[in-house]
Amino acid sequence: MDVTTPANGPWLVVGLGNPGSEYAMNRHNVGFMVVDLLAQRIGGKFKRAGKAQAQVLEGRIGPAGPANRRVILAKPMSYMNLSGGPVNALKDFYKVPVANVVAVHDELDIDYGTLRLKLGGGDNGHNGLKSMTKAMGAEYHRVRFGIGRPPGRMQVADFVLKDFSSAERKELDYFVDRAADAVEALVIEGLERAQGTYNS
């Protein structure tokens, strides 16, 4: 067993984004896109999670036997900069260790489509991570999906709240699929092995 993968307890995989159809294809919502694909793979539908202000789906991933993992997929419905409250409430409700929480999020400082998996660290100005870290500490896993930097003098806030460009959308499904694979590898095989495969 990879030492970075706690053996006990379920996993909570959180896609970060903003609720509402007007945000659905924004760069900032790529976390939602990845957990939506994971939900399709599990074969279930999200439902409202009571007081937690989130949509959740419980299921299992991985082969039968010891590598099979119980997973709660979640999409906070609180808007990005308030993600920490709903995520912390779900963590407590499902009794998930902090190290078994995975945040899937957009990352400005990585080229478009590139993935980086890590445990802990700073928020790099990402409001969703900032809120999560404030609520429960920084020692959770991150699957960072590169969106690149804004062109020219475009402000970061404008860039992340714009839809992926037509050129980017040509490869988006492939990159989202690969990110979902990376989440599954992290949960099933542990951080080091998943990093070896997906950190490019």
Side-chain angles (χ1 to χ4, degrees), residues 103-159:
V104 186
H105 64 92
D106 57 306
E107 179 61 62
L108 286 160
D109 287 337
I110 303 174
D111 290 340
Y112 174 59
T114 300
L115 297 176
R116 292 277 191 279
L117 283 65
K118 63 182 286 193
L119 174 64
D123 56 58
N124 201 25
H126 193 288
N127 288 330
L129 298 181
K130 191 177 298 183
S131 180
M132 284 181 60
T133 296
K134 184 177 179 182
M136 62 184 191
E139 292 306 304
Y140 53 90
H141 286 84
R142 298 104 190 273
V143 174
R144 306 158 72 202
F145 186 110
I147 60 170
R149 301 294 303 184
R153 296 185 179 182
M154 184 184 292
Q155 295 295 310
V156 165
D158 294 331
F159 179 68

Short mmCIF file of all heavy atoms in Angstrom, two decimals, residues 103-159:
data_model
loop_
_atom_site.label_atom_id
_atom_site.label_comp_id
_atom_site.label_asym_id
_atom_site.label_seq_id
_atom_site.Cartn_x
_atom_site.Cartn_y
_atom_site.Cartn_z
N ALA A 103 -9.47 17.25 -4.24
CA ALA A 103 -10.04 18.40 -4.93
C ALA A 103 -9.59 18.38 -6.39
O ALA A 103 -8.40 18.31 -6.67
CB ALA A 103 -9.59 19.69 -4.26
N VAL A 104 -10.54 18.42 -7.30
CA VAL A 104 -10.24 18.48 -8.74
C VAL A 104 -10.52 19.92 -9.18
O VAL A 104 -11.65 20.39 -9.04
CB VAL A 104 -11.10 17.49 -9.54
CG1 VAL A 104 -10.65 17.48 -11.01
CG2 VAL A 104 -11.03 16.09 -8.95
N HIS A 105 -9.50 20.59 -9.70
CA HIS A 105 -9.66 22.03 -9.94
C HIS A 105 -8.82 22.51 -11.11
O HIS A 105 -7.84 21.86 -11.51
CB HIS A 105 -9.30 22.82 -8.67
CG HIS A 105 -7.87 22.69 -8.26
ND1 HIS A 105 -6.90 23.57 -8.67
CD2 HIS A 105 -7.24 21.78 -7.48
CE1 HIS A 105 -5.73 23.21 -8.16
NE2 HIS A 105 -5.91 22.12 -7.43
N ASP A 106 -9.19 23.67 -11.62
CA ASP A 106 -8.42 24.34 -12.68
C ASP A 106 -7.16 24.95 -12.09
O ASP A 106 -7.13 25.35 -10.93
CB ASP A 106 -9.28 25.42 -13.34
CG ASP A 106 -9.79 26.46 -12.34
OD1 ASP A 106 -10.42 26.07 -11.34
OD2 ASP A 106 -9.54 27.66 -12.55
N GLU A 107 -6.11 25.01 -12.90
CA GLU A 107 -4.81 25.52 -12.44
C GLU A 107 -4.20 26.44 -13.51
O GLU A 107 -3.91 25.99 -14.63
CB GLU A 107 -3.87 24.37 -12.13
CG GLU A 107 -2.49 24.78 -11.68
CD GLU A 107 -2.52 25.58 -10.40
OE1 GLU A 107 -2.97 25.07 -9.36
OE2 GLU A 107 -2.09 26.76 -10.45
N LEU A 108 -4.02 27.71 -13.18
CA LEU A 108 -3.51 28.70 -14.13
C LEU A 108 -2.06 28.47 -14.51
O LEU A 108 -1.66 28.75 -15.65
CB LEU A 108 -3.64 30.11 -13.52
CG LEU A 108 -5.03 30.72 -13.46
CD1 LEU A 108 -5.06 31.84 -12.43
CD2 LEU A 108 -5.44 31.24 -14.82
N ASP A 109 -1.26 28.02 -13.59
CA ASP A 109 0.20 27.96 -13.80
C ASP A 109 0.66 26.68 -14.50
O ASP A 109 1.85 26.36 -14.48
CB ASP A 109 0.94 28.14 -12.47
CG ASP A 109 0.86 29.58 -11.99
OD1 ASP A 109 0.65 30.48 -12.84
OD2 ASP A 109 1.01 29.82 -10.78
N ILE A 110 -0.27 25.95 -15.08
CA ILE A 110 0.06 24.74 -15.82
C ILE A 110 -0.55 24.87 -17.22
O ILE A 110 -1.65 25.39 -17.38
CB ILE A 110 -0.50 23.48 -15.12
CG1 ILE A 110 0.02 23.38 -13.69
CG2 ILE A 110 -0.14 22.22 -15.88
CD1 ILE A 110 -0.59 22.25 -12.90
N ASP A 111 0.17 24.40 -18.23
CA ASP A 111 -0.32 24.48 -19.61
C ASP A 111 -1.64 23.73 -19.76
O ASP A 111 -1.91 22.74 -19.05
CB ASP A 111 0.70 23.88 -20.58
CG ASP A 111 1.95 24.75 -20.71
OD1 ASP A 111 1.88 25.95 -20.38
OD2 ASP A 111 2.99 24.21 -21.15
N TYR A 112 -2.44 24.18 -20.70
CA TYR A 112 -3.76 23.60 -20.92
C TYR A 112 -3.68 22.08 -21.11
O TYR A 112 -2.89 21.56 -21.90
CB TYR A 112 -4.41 24.23 -22.16
CG TYR A 112 -5.72 23.57 -22.54
CD1 TYR A 112 -6.78 23.53 -21.64
CD2 TYR A 112 -5.88 22.97 -23.79
CE1 TYR A 112 -7.98 22.92 -21.99
CE2 TYR A 112 -7.08 22.37 -24.15
CZ TYR A 112 -8.12 22.34 -23.23
OH TYR A 112 -9.31 21.72 -23.56
N GLY A 113 -4.51 21.37 -20.33
CA GLY A 113 -4.62 19.93 -20.45
C GLY A 113 -3.61 19.14 -19.67
O GLY A 113 -3.76 17.92 -19.50
N THR A 114 -2.58 19.81 -19.14
CA THR A 114 -1.56 19.11 -18.35
C THR A 114 -2.10 18.86 -16.94
O THR A 114 -2.81 19.69 -16.38
CB THR A 114 -0.27 19.96 -18.27
OG1 THR A 114 0.21 20.16 -19.60
CG2 THR A 114 0.80 19.27 -17.45
N LEU A 115 -1.75 17.70 -16.38
CA LEU A 115 -2.20 17.34 -15.04
C LEU A 115 -1.03 17.33 -14.06
O LEU A 115 0.09 16.98 -14.42
CB LEU A 115 -2.84 15.95 -15.05
CG LEU A 115 -4.09 15.75 -15.88
CD1 LEU A 115 -4.52 14.29 -15.85
CD2 LEU A 115 -5.23 16.65 -15.40
N ARG A 116 -1.34 17.70 -12.82
CA ARG A 116 -0.39 17.55 -11.73
C ARG A 116 -1.17 17.04 -10.51
O ARG A 116 -2.18 17.65 -10.12
CB ARG A 116 0.27 18.87 -11.36
CG ARG A 116 1.21 19.43 -12.41
CD ARG A 116 2.60 18.81 -12.32
NE ARG A 116 3.54 19.54 -13.15
CZ ARG A 116 3.68 19.39 -14.46
NH1 ARG A 116 2.90 18.54 -15.09
NH2 ARG A 116 4.56 20.09 -15.14
N LEU A 117 -0.70 15.95 -9.91
CA LEU A 117 -1.31 15.41 -8.70
C LEU A 117 -0.39 15.69 -7.53
O LEU A 117 0.84 15.55 -7.65
CB LEU A 117 -1.53 13.90 -8.83
CG LEU A 117 -2.72 13.42 -9.67
CD1 LEU A 117 -2.56 13.79 -11.14
CD2 LEU A 117 -2.90 11.92 -9.53
N LYS A 118 -0.96 16.10 -6.41
CA LYS A 118 -0.13 16.38 -5.24
C LYS A 118 -0.96 16.24 -3.97
O LYS A 118 -2.19 16.19 -4.00
CB LYS A 118 0.46 17.80 -5.33
CG LYS A 118 -0.58 18.90 -5.32
CD LYS A 118 0.04 20.30 -5.47
CE LYS A 118 0.73 20.74 -4.21
NZ LYS A 118 1.06 22.19 -4.23
N LEU A 119 -0.25 16.20 -2.85
CA LEU A 119 -0.87 16.17 -1.52
C LEU A 119 -0.44 17.42 -0.78
O LEU A 119 0.77 17.69 -0.64
CB LEU A 119 -0.44 14.92 -0.74
CG LEU A 119 -0.89 14.82 0.72
CD1 LEU A 119 -2.41 14.73 0.81
CD2 LEU A 119 -0.24 13.62 1.40
N GLY A 120 -1.40 18.19 -0.29
CA GLY A 120 -1.09 19.38 0.48
C GLY A 120 -0.54 20.51 -0.37
O GLY A 120 -0.55 20.46 -1.60
N GLY A 121 -0.06 21.55 0.31
CA GLY A 121 0.51 22.70 -0.38
C GLY A 121 -0.38 23.92 -0.28
O GLY A 121 -1.42 23.92 0.39
N GLY A 122 0.04 24.99 -0.97
CA GLY A 122 -0.69 26.24 -0.93
C GLY A 122 -1.87 26.25 -1.89
O GLY A 122 -2.14 25.28 -2.59
N ASP A 123 -2.58 27.39 -1.92
CA ASP A 123 -3.75 27.49 -2.79
C ASP A 123 -3.45 28.22 -4.09
O ASP A 123 -4.27 28.23 -5.00
CB ASP A 123 -4.91 28.18 -2.06
CG ASP A 123 -4.53 29.56 -1.54
OD1 ASP A 123 -4.13 30.40 -2.35
OD2 ASP A 123 -4.65 29.79 -0.33
N ASN A 124 -2.27 28.86 -4.20
CA ASN A 124 -1.85 29.54 -5.42
C ASN A 124 -2.91 30.53 -5.92
O ASN A 124 -3.11 30.69 -7.13
CB ASN A 124 -1.52 28.52 -6.52
CG ASN A 124 -0.62 29.09 -7.61
OD1 ASN A 124 0.12 30.04 -7.36
ND2 ASN A 124 -0.67 28.52 -8.80
N GLY A 125 -3.60 31.17 -4.98
CA GLY A 125 -4.61 32.16 -5.35
C GLY A 125 -5.94 31.60 -5.79
O GLY A 125 -6.82 32.35 -6.20
N HIS A 126 -6.11 30.28 -5.71
CA HIS A 126 -7.37 29.64 -6.13
C HIS A 126 -8.37 29.74 -4.98
O HIS A 126 -8.15 29.18 -3.91
CB HIS A 126 -7.11 28.18 -6.50
CG HIS A 126 -8.25 27.53 -7.22
ND1 HIS A 126 -9.43 27.21 -6.60
CD2 HIS A 126 -8.39 27.16 -8.52
CE1 HIS A 126 -10.24 26.64 -7.47
NE2 HIS A 126 -9.63 26.61 -8.66
N ASN A 127 -9.48 30.44 -5.21
CA ASN A 127 -10.42 30.71 -4.12
C ASN A 127 -11.10 29.46 -3.58
O ASN A 127 -11.43 29.39 -2.40
CB ASN A 127 -11.47 31.72 -4.57
CG ASN A 127 -10.90 33.12 -4.70
OD1 ASN A 127 -9.97 33.49 -3.98
ND2 ASN A 127 -11.44 33.91 -5.61
N GLY A 128 -11.33 28.46 -4.45
CA GLY A 128 -11.92 27.23 -3.96
C GLY A 128 -11.00 26.49 -3.01
O GLY A 128 -11.42 26.02 -1.95
N LEU A 129 -9.72 26.40 -3.37
CA LEU A 129 -8.74 25.76 -2.49
C LEU A 129 -8.56 26.56 -1.20
O LEU A 129 -8.43 26.00 -0.11
CB LEU A 129 -7.39 25.61 -3.20
CG LEU A 129 -7.35 24.74 -4.45
CD1 LEU A 129 -5.93 24.69 -5.00
CD2 LEU A 129 -7.85 23.33 -4.17
N LYS A 130 -8.53 27.88 -1.34
CA LYS A 130 -8.36 28.74 -0.18
C LYS A 130 -9.47 28.48 0.85
O LYS A 130 -9.22 28.37 2.05
CB LYS A 130 -8.38 30.21 -0.62
CG LYS A 130 -7.96 31.21 0.43
CD LYS A 130 -7.95 32.63 -0.15
CE LYS A 130 -6.95 32.78 -1.27
NZ LYS A 130 -6.89 34.17 -1.78
N SER A 131 -10.69 28.37 0.36
CA SER A 131 -11.84 28.11 1.22
C SER A 131 -11.76 26.72 1.86
O SER A 131 -12.02 26.55 3.05
CB SER A 131 -13.13 28.27 0.42
OG SER A 131 -14.26 28.03 1.22
N MET A 132 -11.37 25.71 1.06
CA MET A 132 -11.23 24.36 1.61
C MET A 132 -10.14 24.30 2.68
O MET A 132 -10.33 23.69 3.74
CB MET A 132 -10.91 23.37 0.49
CG MET A 132 -12.10 23.01 -0.38
SD MET A 132 -11.69 21.81 -1.68
CE MET A 132 -11.12 20.39 -0.72
N THR A 133 -9.01 24.93 2.41
CA THR A 133 -7.89 24.89 3.37
C THR A 133 -8.27 25.60 4.67
O THR A 133 -7.93 25.13 5.76
CB THR A 133 -6.64 25.53 2.74
OG1 THR A 133 -6.24 24.73 1.61
CG2 THR A 133 -5.49 25.60 3.73
N LYS A 134 -8.99 26.70 4.56
CA LYS A 134 -9.43 27.41 5.75
C LYS A 134 -10.37 26.54 6.59
O LYS A 134 -10.33 26.55 7.82
CB LYS A 134 -10.14 28.70 5.35
CG LYS A 134 -10.57 29.56 6.54
CD LYS A 134 -11.20 30.87 6.07
CE LYS A 134 -11.64 31.71 7.26
NZ LYS A 134 -12.30 32.97 6.83
N ALA A 135 -11.20 25.74 5.91
CA ALA A 135 -12.19 24.92 6.61
C ALA A 135 -11.61 23.66 7.24
O ALA A 135 -12.08 23.22 8.29
CB ALA A 135 -13.31 24.54 5.64
N MET A 136 -10.57 23.06 6.62
CA MET A 136 -10.14 21.75 7.13
C MET A 136 -8.64 21.51 7.06
O MET A 136 -8.19 20.38 7.25
CB MET A 136 -10.87 20.64 6.36
CG MET A 136 -10.58 20.60 4.89
SD MET A 136 -11.59 19.34 4.06
CE MET A 136 -10.79 19.32 2.47
N GLY A 137 -7.84 22.55 6.80
CA GLY A 137 -6.40 22.34 6.68
C GLY A 137 -6.03 22.01 5.26
O GLY A 137 -6.89 21.80 4.40
N ALA A 138 -4.72 21.94 5.00
CA ALA A 138 -4.23 21.82 3.61
C ALA A 138 -3.87 20.40 3.20
O ALA A 138 -3.52 20.18 2.04
CB ALA A 138 -2.99 22.72 3.44
N GLU A 139 -3.96 19.43 4.10
CA GLU A 139 -3.42 18.11 3.79
C GLU A 139 -4.42 17.21 3.07
O GLU A 139 -4.65 16.06 3.45
CB GLU A 139 -2.91 17.44 5.06
CG GLU A 139 -1.68 18.13 5.64
CD GLU A 139 -0.55 18.27 4.62
OE1 GLU A 139 -0.13 17.24 4.07
OE2 GLU A 139 -0.10 19.40 4.36
N TYR A 140 -4.99 17.73 2.00
CA TYR A 140 -5.85 16.93 1.13
C TYR A 140 -5.17 16.83 -0.24
O TYR A 140 -4.26 17.60 -0.56
CB TYR A 140 -7.25 17.55 1.01
CG TYR A 140 -7.27 19.01 0.60
CD1 TYR A 140 -7.33 19.39 -0.74
CD2 TYR A 140 -7.23 20.02 1.56
CE1 TYR A 140 -7.34 20.71 -1.12
CE2 TYR A 140 -7.24 21.36 1.20
CZ TYR A 140 -7.29 21.70 -0.14
OH TYR A 140 -7.29 23.02 -0.52
N HIS A 141 -5.62 15.87 -1.04
CA HIS A 141 -5.05 15.67 -2.36
C HIS A 141 -5.64 16.67 -3.36
O HIS A 141 -6.77 17.10 -3.20
CB HIS A 141 -5.32 14.25 -2.87
CG HIS A 141 -4.49 13.20 -2.20
ND1 HIS A 141 -4.84 12.63 -1.00
CD2 HIS A 141 -3.31 12.62 -2.55
CE1 HIS A 141 -3.93 11.73 -0.65
NE2 HIS A 141 -2.99 11.71 -1.58
N ARG A 142 -4.85 16.98 -4.37
CA ARG A 142 -5.33 17.84 -5.44
C ARG A 142 -5.02 17.19 -6.79
O ARG A 142 -3.93 16.65 -6.99
CB ARG A 142 -4.62 19.21 -5.41
CG ARG A 142 -4.89 20.00 -4.10
CD ARG A 142 -3.66 19.92 -3.20
NE ARG A 142 -3.90 20.43 -1.86
CZ ARG A 142 -3.77 21.70 -1.52
NH1 ARG A 142 -3.43 22.58 -2.43
NH2 ARG A 142 -3.97 22.07 -0.27
N VAL A 143 -5.98 17.24 -7.69
CA VAL A 143 -5.76 16.90 -9.09
C VAL A 143 -5.90 18.22 -9.84
O VAL A 143 -7.00 18.76 -9.99
CB VAL A 143 -6.75 15.84 -9.59
CG1 VAL A 143 -6.59 15.63 -11.10
CG2 VAL A 143 -6.53 14.52 -8.85
N ARG A 144 -4.78 18.76 -10.28
CA ARG A 144 -4.71 20.10 -10.87
C ARG A 144 -4.78 19.98 -12.39
O ARG A 144 -3.92 19.35 -13.00
CB ARG A 144 -3.42 20.78 -10.42
CG ARG A 144 -3.25 20.81 -8.91
CD ARG A 144 -1.79 20.98 -8.49
NE ARG A 144 -1.30 22.33 -8.76
CZ ARG A 144 -0.02 22.63 -8.90
NH1 ARG A 144 0.92 21.68 -8.84
NH2 ARG A 144 0.34 23.88 -9.12
N PHE A 145 -5.77 20.59 -12.97
CA PHE A 145 -6.02 20.53 -14.41
C PHE A 145 -5.57 21.86 -15.01
O PHE A 145 -6.17 22.90 -14.76
CB PHE A 145 -7.52 20.30 -14.64
CG PHE A 145 -7.92 20.07 -16.07
CD1 PHE A 145 -8.36 18.82 -16.49
CD2 PHE A 145 -7.90 21.10 -17.00
CE1 PHE A 145 -8.76 18.61 -17.81
CE2 PHE A 145 -8.29 20.89 -18.31
CZ PHE A 145 -8.71 19.65 -18.72
N GLY A 146 -4.53 21.82 -15.82
CA GLY A 146 -3.98 23.04 -16.38
C GLY A 146 -4.91 23.74 -17.35
O GLY A 146 -5.49 23.11 -18.24
N ILE A 147 -5.08 25.06 -17.16
CA ILE A 147 -5.84 25.86 -18.12
C ILE A 147 -4.97 26.96 -18.74
O ILE A 147 -5.43 27.68 -19.62
CB ILE A 147 -7.10 26.49 -17.47
CG1 ILE A 147 -6.73 27.42 -16.30
CG2 ILE A 147 -8.07 25.40 -17.02
CD1 ILE A 147 -7.91 28.26 -15.79
N GLY A 148 -3.72 27.07 -18.30
CA GLY A 148 -2.83 28.08 -18.86
C GLY A 148 -3.14 29.48 -18.33
O GLY A 148 -4.08 29.68 -17.56
N ARG A 149 -2.32 30.44 -18.74
CA ARG A 149 -2.47 31.82 -18.29
C ARG A 149 -3.33 32.61 -19.27
O ARG A 149 -3.43 32.28 -20.44
CB ARG A 149 -1.10 32.49 -18.19
CG ARG A 149 -0.12 31.84 -17.24
CD ARG A 149 -0.52 31.92 -15.79
NE ARG A 149 -0.74 33.27 -15.30
CZ ARG A 149 -1.03 33.57 -14.04
NH1 ARG A 149 -1.15 32.59 -13.14
NH2 ARG A 149 -1.22 34.81 -13.66
N PRO A 150 -3.95 33.71 -18.79
CA PRO A 150 -4.76 34.55 -19.69
C PRO A 150 -3.89 35.17 -20.78
O PRO A 150 -2.73 35.51 -20.53
CB PRO A 150 -5.32 35.63 -18.77
CG PRO A 150 -5.03 35.22 -17.38
CD PRO A 150 -3.95 34.20 -17.42
N PRO A 151 -4.44 35.34 -21.97
CA PRO A 151 -3.68 35.99 -23.04
C PRO A 151 -3.61 37.50 -22.83
O PRO A 151 -4.53 38.10 -22.26
CB PRO A 151 -4.50 35.66 -24.29
CG PRO A 151 -5.90 35.50 -23.79
CD PRO A 151 -5.77 34.90 -22.41
N GLY A 152 -2.52 38.09 -23.27
CA GLY A 152 -2.39 39.54 -23.25
C GLY A 152 -2.61 40.13 -21.87
O GLY A 152 -2.05 39.66 -20.88
N ARG A 153 -3.48 41.13 -21.81
CA ARG A 153 -3.74 41.82 -20.54
C ARG A 153 -5.06 41.39 -19.90
O ARG A 153 -5.57 42.07 -19.01
CB ARG A 153 -3.75 43.33 -20.76
CG ARG A 153 -2.40 43.88 -21.22
CD ARG A 153 -2.43 45.38 -21.32
NE ARG A 153 -1.14 45.91 -21.72
CZ ARG A 153 -0.88 47.21 -21.85
NH1 ARG A 153 -1.83 48.09 -21.61
NH2 ARG A 153 0.32 47.63 -22.21
N MET A 154 -5.63 40.30 -20.38
CA MET A 154 -6.89 39.83 -19.79
C MET A 154 -6.72 39.53 -18.31
O MET A 154 -5.74 38.92 -17.89
CB MET A 154 -7.39 38.57 -20.52
CG MET A 154 -8.76 38.10 -20.02
SD MET A 154 -9.33 36.54 -20.76
CE MET A 154 -9.61 37.05 -22.45
N GLN A 155 -7.67 39.97 -17.51
CA GLN A 155 -7.63 39.71 -16.08
C GLN A 155 -7.90 38.22 -15.80
O GLN A 155 -8.70 37.58 -16.50
CB GLN A 155 -8.68 40.55 -15.35
CG GLN A 155 -8.42 42.05 -15.42
CD GLN A 155 -7.15 42.44 -14.69
OE1 GLN A 155 -6.93 42.06 -13.55
NE2 GLN A 155 -6.29 43.19 -15.38
N VAL A 156 -7.26 37.72 -14.75
CA VAL A 156 -7.43 36.31 -14.38
C VAL A 156 -8.90 35.99 -14.14
O VAL A 156 -9.42 34.97 -14.61
CB VAL A 156 -6.58 35.97 -13.14
CG1 VAL A 156 -7.02 34.64 -12.53
CG2 VAL A 156 -5.10 35.92 -13.51
N ALA A 157 -9.61 36.85 -13.41
CA ALA A 157 -11.01 36.58 -13.08
C ALA A 157 -11.86 36.47 -14.35
O ALA A 157 -12.78 35.64 -14.42
CB ALA A 157 -11.56 37.68 -12.18
N ASP A 158 -11.56 37.29 -15.35
CA ASP A 158 -12.30 37.20 -16.61
C ASP A 158 -11.96 35.91 -17.36
O ASP A 158 -12.84 35.26 -17.93
CB ASP A 158 -11.96 38.41 -17.50
CG ASP A 158 -12.45 39.73 -16.91
OD1 ASP A 158 -13.46 39.70 -16.18
OD2 ASP A 158 -11.82 40.77 -17.18
N PHE A 159 -10.69 35.56 -17.33
CA PHE A 159 -10.23 34.37 -18.06
C PHE A 159 -10.87 33.10 -17.53
O PHE A 159 -11.38 32.27 -18.29
CB PHE A 159 -8.71 34.29 -17.97
CG PHE A 159 -8.09 33.11 -18.66
CD1 PHE A 159 -8.12 33.00 -20.04
CD2 PHE A 159 -7.46 32.10 -17.93
CE1 PHE A 159 -7.53 31.91 -20.69
CE2 PHE A 159 -6.87 31.02 -18.56
CZ PHE A 159 -6.91 30.93 -19.94
#
